[in-house]
Amino acid sequence: MLDRLSELGWTVAIAESLTGGLVVADLVSVPGASAVVRGGIVAYATELKHTLLGVDPTLLDAHGPVHPRVARQMAEGVRMRLGHEGGPCDVGISTTGIAGPDSPDGQPVGTVHIGVATPLGTRVESLELAGTRAEIRAETVRRAVRTALDAL
């Protein structure tokens, strides 16, 4: 994905909840990542999704933090918040979901929403993953990178 971003001359920023910084860590493990990775925001607490990323508080109140529209707004928000030279960065990626072992709001463990926002629009991939907490989080990282690459 980083090679493709470099080819385009684009930058990326990541908003993470479920993955707690794992997507950023995965991207910056690649030498030269600093040329395209702007940074990340870990908004684990629900209110931070609003205050740091601009997610609509009415949406959060109505549906909670694990919802496709929340993932969409997180991806769009991180593009704006971590932009450069007065404009947004080119790609925003977001992750929100429930890794378990329990579900605080009754949605199934393994419910995951990945958002990818680019200048061409925003897409959300909703998944039902199986496995342990660690396996769900690791698979979410893989899927987030794949979804972002597909959007490029």
Side-chain angles (χ1 to χ4, degrees):
M1 180 178 85
L2 298 180
D3 288 342
R4 180 68 179 136
L5 287 167
S6 184
E7 288 172 13
L8 294 169
W10 282 11
T11 57
V12 63
I14 301 89
E16 299 184 67
S17 183
L18 164 75
T19 49
L22 293 174
V23 176
V24 171
D26 185 65
L27 294 177
V28 301
S29 70
V30 178
S34 61
V36 296
V37 177
R38 295 282 301 156
I41 295 174
V42 176
Y44 205 63
T46 299
E47 71 272 9
L48 294 179
K49 291 170 181 62
H50 168 66
T51 58
L52 295 179
L53 298 167
V55 175
D56 181 355
T58 305
L59 172 63
L60 292 168
D61 288 343
H63 298 287
V66 180
H67 191 273
R69 288 193 346 236
V70 172
R72 173 180 300 276
Q73 290 185 15
M74 287 174 65
E76 292 168 349
V78 80
R79 275 189 75 217
M80 298 302 155
R81 298 303 196 276
L82 297 185
H84 55 98
E85 298 176 4
C89 70
D90 301 290
V91 180
I93 302 171
S94 69
T95 63
T96 187
I98 301 168
D102 301 312
S103 174
D105 65 3
Q107 293 186 68
V109 170
T111 300
V112 173
H113 305 290
I114 298 166
V116 178
T118 73
L120 305 174
T122 305
R123 67 172 60 179
V124 175
E125 182 176 358
S126 296
L127 307 166
E128 293 290 332
L129 301 176
T132 66
R133 179 177 174 81
E135 290 167 341
I136 290 168
R137 292 174 77 220
E139 183 61 19
T140 300
V141 171
R142 285 189 286 279
R143 297 284 187 103
V145 171
R146 181 78 239 171
T147 301
L149 184 58
D150 289 347
L152 303 178

